[in-house]
Structures are given as structure tokens and as C-alpha cells.
Amino acid sequence: MNILEIKGLCKNYNSFCLSNVSFSVPKGEITGFIGRNGAGKTTTLKAILGVIHNDGGTVLFNGADTKECETEFKENIGVVLGGIDFYRKKKLKTVAKVTSKFYSSWDNGKYKYYLDFFGLDENKRVDELSAGMRVKFMIALALSHNAKLLILDEPTSGLDPVSRDELTELFSAIVKDKERSILFSTHITSDLEKCARNIVFIKDGKILFDGTKEDFMNDFKDKGETLENIIVAVERRKIDESAII
Amino acid sequence: MKALLYKQIRLVAHPMTFVFAFFGVMFLIPGYFYSVIFFYSTLGLFFMFLNAREQRDNDFSSLLPIKKADIVSSGIVFCIIIELLTVLFSIPFALLSNMINKNGNVGGIDANLSIYGVAFILYGFFNLIFFTSYYKNGYKVGTAFLKANIPIFFIVALDFMLPTVLGVKWLDGEYNFYQLVLLTAGFVFFVFATFLSLIKSKKLFLRVDL
């Protein structure tokens, strides 16, 4: 069963377009969304969330069109945007208190538990946290309102290998109950080798692959043996040396 | 809406937004353009939107379980509250001003019904221009404020010129019927312009790619 289904999503910019993007996120699993910088990962996620105006296509959450149930959809998801900070000068407890007002399913006990679990001090300001701790804070907020789907946009970018390893382990633990799912965009493919069950591969705004990680490795086995080698082989463009001045 | 207004106070509002809302005490300054009091509160609102942009408030809000149009509604409703708070807080000082300055205000319109009519016209123009300009893209706060200040400049200029240079006497002094008409017309314009701005701003913001 799929928790999220994207059908024929289109978005046109002057120099880039998402063309008929379709894929699905199975329930209770981690789906890795891969592609090089500028391939359309963030644009796709923003289109799913409805923060950019789509030129076509539908997004179904548990079978219901998200345009028809915008607030219900957002009530059931948690979004983590790596490298983006909100309210940098505010204390974590202020941001959490305000956030809690928007969710009917907010569980303060769970929030306190995850603060402790991640070693977060809620009296600290957002800008006093490291990049990894900020991601953990956003995840704590998402888990505190019982989000059924976590949409993570490059949450491990800019993190050291240890923090990335911790986070990928955490993601695996989150989906263990088979009730929660994760859609995880990244260009650091080694993170997905550890935790993803499914892969969605986007290139120049078009989906090249949507399926299990095993099928992906089989389909692209002539390109390489690891996710990284496959992406490099598919995406690499030759540099015209004569163009360097 | 309640949660959004709470967010506006706890995470977005700039301290000067509230400080400027209490600038009604400036009615006690003798020989002053009292319409400037109301301009100051719009300056406080400008700081708030500037702060919202730097804190990436629109991005955060767009991820909350609300409709995108609600982001606009809450921003505008909060501003209306600040504008009305400015007016209400200034009233005791306007009354006090009349008791202190027995010869009236030599700088501009006296602290009477006329100046409140002017205040509502000023707020009406600000709301109509600032919000429709800002919500067109969600980040050009300075341009929106600059555009909104064009009519405000002329309103402040008229505050000075009408009673002193051009000799429109009914604007000054104690209560008269024309002052009541100006106040009513100003308030009706404020309501109409703000409502129009709300409808248009929502439509514009829905097209913005955050």
C-alpha cells in the first residue's frame, strides 16, 4: 500500500521544467529520492507540499487528493528542510510551543521524550544548534505530532559522517513500526545504501526510475556497482576543455 | 486564525511594532503633524514584515496544517489589530492635547475628529498598496513600503497645508458636522480598501512559488 502517490506532476520555469513526474512512496518504508544538484528534487518536494504552484498533476495522500484535503495532509506529515533555519534567534521551546498550537494530535510527552532522546536543550536558540542538531529538532517536532510521513529534503547535506550515520540509523528506527514512512531526498547516495528500501531517480526534471533498491541496482548494473557509481555514470557530462579560458 | 495570530506575536512581531503602536503620546507635542503618529505604526509593521522575511516565516507557515491563503489573512488581520490599537491608545492623549494646547495645533490639523478621519485614510492607502505589493512576491518588503509611502507623504503634506496654508478652517477646532463626515468617510474607505486588499493579496499570494 502506498502512503503517497504522485501522478503527472508538471512545473514549468523558463530554464527548467518538471515533466510528468510520477512515483509512489510505500507505507512503512524509506524511499530515497536521488539525483544530482538541479535535477528537480527540491522542486518536486515543494510541488508535493503545494508551496509552489503546479502546472499539472495530482498528489494523493492515503488515496485522497491533497488539494482537497490540504490541512489534513499537512497535519499528518513532518517536513525537514536541510540547511534551512527558521526563527534563528528564538528559543527551541518558543518555536515548539507555537508549532504545537497548530496540531490537534500534538503530544507534549512525546516532545519531551524526543528532546531528551536527541540531547536537545530547549532553552537554546535555534542558531546555537549545529546543523545536525537542527535537523534532529525538526524531526522531534514532526514525531511529536505523530506524523505518518516524513518528507526530508537533503537532511544530511553538510553534516559530518558520524552525524549522517546517526541520522540514517534513526530513520531506520522510525519506520520500524511499519506505520510511519519517509521520503528522503539526497545527493549523498551512501546514506541511502544504509537505510532506503526504495529508490526514485530523477534527472533533468524527469523520473528515470521508481522501484526497489535491488531492482535499481539490477537495472543499472552495467553503469556501476554502487548507487554513487551509477549516478555518476548516468549524470556525468564531459567537460569541453577548450571552453576553459 | 488564533494559532496564526499567536505565532505572529511570539515569532514574527518586531518589538518596534508594539512600541510604535503607542506613539499616540506624540499628541502632547505642540505644533506637530499628528498624522505622522499613524505613519509611525506603519513603520512598525514594515519592521515586522522585514523580520518575517529574515526568519523565513512564509516558508515555515507554508508547512503548517493551514491553507496558504490563511498566511495572508493572519498577516493582514494582525496589522489591522495594530492599526486599531494605535488609534485607541492615542485617544486619551488627543483629549489631553486639546486641554493643554488651548490655541490649537499650529503645525497641522488639531487633535480632533478630522485627524482620525485622516488616520483611517492613511491606513486605508497603506493596507491597499503595501499588502498587494508585498504578497505579489512574498519578499520585496522595501519596495512595498516605498510604494505605500507615496500617498502617505501627500496625506502628511495635506495635514500641514489644508488648515494652515489653504485655510480650510472646519478641519480645526472643536467638533463640527464636516469633521464627523470626514471621520465616517475615512473609516468607510479604510474598511473598503483593507477588504479589497485582503481579497487581492490572497489571490496574488496563491500564485507565488515559495
Side-chain angles (χ1 to χ4, degrees):
Chain A
M1 189 193 165
N2 296 322
I3 190 163
L4 194 70
E5 283 177 69
I6 291 94
K7 292 180 179 172
L9 212 56
C10 297
K11 175 70 188 173
N12 298 311
Y13 291 107
N14 289 337
S15 55
F16 174 79
C17 68
L18 281 184
S19 309
N20 206 23
V21 167
S22 302
F23 64 92
S24 51
V25 177
K27 191 178 176 184
E29 294 175 1
I30 297 176
T31 299
F33 190 29
I34 57 172
R36 67 178 297 169
N37 289 337
K41 299 188 295 294
T42 301
T43 307
T44 304
L45 295 184
K46 282 185 168 182
I48 291 170
L49 295 166
V51 295
I52 61 171
H53 188 260
N54 301 340
D55 295 319
T58 51
V59 178
L60 304 176
F61 179 73
N62 278 332
D65 191 335
T66 54
K67 274 186 188 160
E68 309 294 324
C69 57
E70 189 181 352
T71 50
E72 194 191 333
F73 167 55
K74 287 182 178 171
E75 175 102 27
N76 282 293
I77 61 166
V79 184
V80 179
L81 306 172
I84 295 182
D85 312 324
F86 304 110
Y87 315 111
R88 290 176 58 86
K89 295 293 174 194
K90 297 291 178 185
K91 285 183 177 175
L92 303 191
K93 64 179 177 187
T94 312
V95 177
K97 194 172 180 192
V98 171
T99 306
S100 71
K101 305 277 179 199
F102 289 89
Y103 294 95
S104 55
S105 55
W106 180 268
D107 184 333
N108 217 38
K110 267 192 179 178
Y111 168 67
K112 296 281 181 197
Y113 170 81
Y114 283 114
L115 276 186
D116 190 47
F117 182 75
F118 293 139
L120 290 160
D121 175 1
E122 66 171 350
N123 287 309
K124 276 194 173 180
R125 291 196 316 264
V126 173
D127 64 356
E128 288 176 321
L129 300 180
S130 65
M133 292 305 264
R134 281 177 211 164
V135 171
K136 285 179 180 174
F137 175 60
M138 294 301 284
I139 292 172
L141 290 182
L143 295 177
S144 303
H145 71 259
N146 297 309
K148 298 283 180 281
L149 170 67
L150 295 185
I151 297 178
L152 316 172
D153 187 19
E154 309 211 3
T156 53
S157 298
L159 301 190
D160 63 79
V162 181
S163 301
R164 279 175 26 222
D165 194 58
E166 277 175 7
L167 278 178
T168 48
E169 195 184 329
L170 170 72
F171 298 154
S172 299
I174 288 170
V175 297
K176 238 179 186 171
D177 64 0
K178 294 288 171 194
E179 287 299 315
R180 291 178 287 205
S181 318
I182 294 177
L183 173 61
F184 174 8
S185 97
T186 186
H187 57 263
I188 308 172
T189 47
S190 57
D191 293 342
L192 297 176
E193 310 252 16
K194 293 174 197 163
C195 64
R197 167 95 173 80
N198 309 291
I199 296 291
V200 177
F201 181 23
I202 188 167
K203 186 186 178 202
D204 299 329
K206 295 185 183 79
I207 299 295
L208 288 194
F209 181 87
D210 172 23
T212 65
K213 192 165 65 186
E214 288 71 31
D215 287 344
F216 181 81
M217 303 306 272
N218 280 332
D219 283 14
F220 290 90
K221 65 182 171 195
D222 55 319
K223 304 282 183 188
E225 288 180 351
T226 62
L227 280 174
E228 184 163 329
N229 289 344
I230 293 168
I231 302 249
V232 170
V234 174
E235 295 273 12
R236 187 81 161 82
R237 289 170 193 151
K238 268 198 165 181
I239 292 175
D240 178 4
E241 288 178 12
S242 64
I244 309 297
I245 53 169
Chain B
M1 181 57 74
K2 209 173 138 188
L4 278 165
L5 291 176
Y6 181 73
K7 175 181 72 66
Q8 206 75 18
I9 294 168
R10 296 298 304 270
L11 297 177
V12 186
H14 191 278
M16 290 311 289
T17 309
F18 299 107
V19 171
F20 284 137
F22 296 113
F23 264 33
V25 288
M26 290 173 77
F27 267 125
L28 301 180
I29 301 172
Y32 193 67
F33 312 140
Y34 294 140
S35 51
V36 172
I37 293 168
F38 305 100
F39 158 76
Y40 273 118
S41 61
T42 66
L43 188 62
L45 297 176
F46 164 65
F47 285 153
M48 182 180 78
F49 279 90
L50 209 54
N51 195 36
R53 184 185 68 185
E54 300 315 311
Q55 306 287 346
R56 306 192 70 139
D57 177 59
N58 283 341
D59 296 292
F60 183 80
S61 303
S62 67
L63 304 177
L64 294 170
I66 51 166
K67 288 182 176 164
K68 196 174 171 185
D70 294 340
I71 299 173
V72 178
S73 308
S74 63
I76 295 181
V77 167
F78 186 80
C79 291
I80 295 169
I81 292 170
I82 292 292
E83 288 165 352
L84 294 180
L85 181 72
T86 309
V87 168
L88 286 175
F89 182 78
S90 71
I91 292 172
F93 297 99
L95 295 171
L96 206 58
S97 172
N98 281 321
M99 289 161 70
I100 296 167
N101 304 312
K102 294 283 180 201
N103 297 324
N105 178 21
V106 291
I109 298 172
D110 287 352
N112 57 17
L113 293 185
S114 303
I115 198 66
Y116 284 104
V118 170
F120 282 121
I121 292 170
L122 186 150
Y123 283 148
F125 274 113
F126 176 80
N127 294 351
L128 185 61
I129 299 169
F130 181 79
F131 296 131
T132 51
S133 178
Y134 171 69
Y135 284 115
K136 203 173 176 180
N137 47 59
Y139 68 95
K140 288 189 176 177
V141 193
T143 308
F145 189 63
L146 205 65
K147 282 183 189 171
N149 265 284
I150 297 168
I152 291 178
F153 171 79
F154 286 106
I155 289 168
V156 175
L158 286 172
D159 173 19
F160 164 66
M161 289 176 70
L162 285 175
T164 52
V165 180
L166 300 172
V168 183
K169 294 294 174 201
W170 60 265
L171 285 166
D172 272 341
E174 288 181 359
Y175 166 80
N176 63 57
F177 179 70
Y178 295 112
Q179 288 179 7
L180 185 66
V181 170
L182 178 60
L183 175 65
T184 312
F187 187 72
V188 169
F189 174 72
F190 167 74
V191 172
F192 177 75
T194 307
F195 183 70
L196 193 69
S197 180
L198 179 68
I199 303 292
K200 204 176 167 195
S201 301
K202 275 187 186 180
K203 268 188 193 167
L204 290 168
F205 193 61
L206 287 178
R207 287 189 223 142
V208 173
D209 291 339
L210 292 170

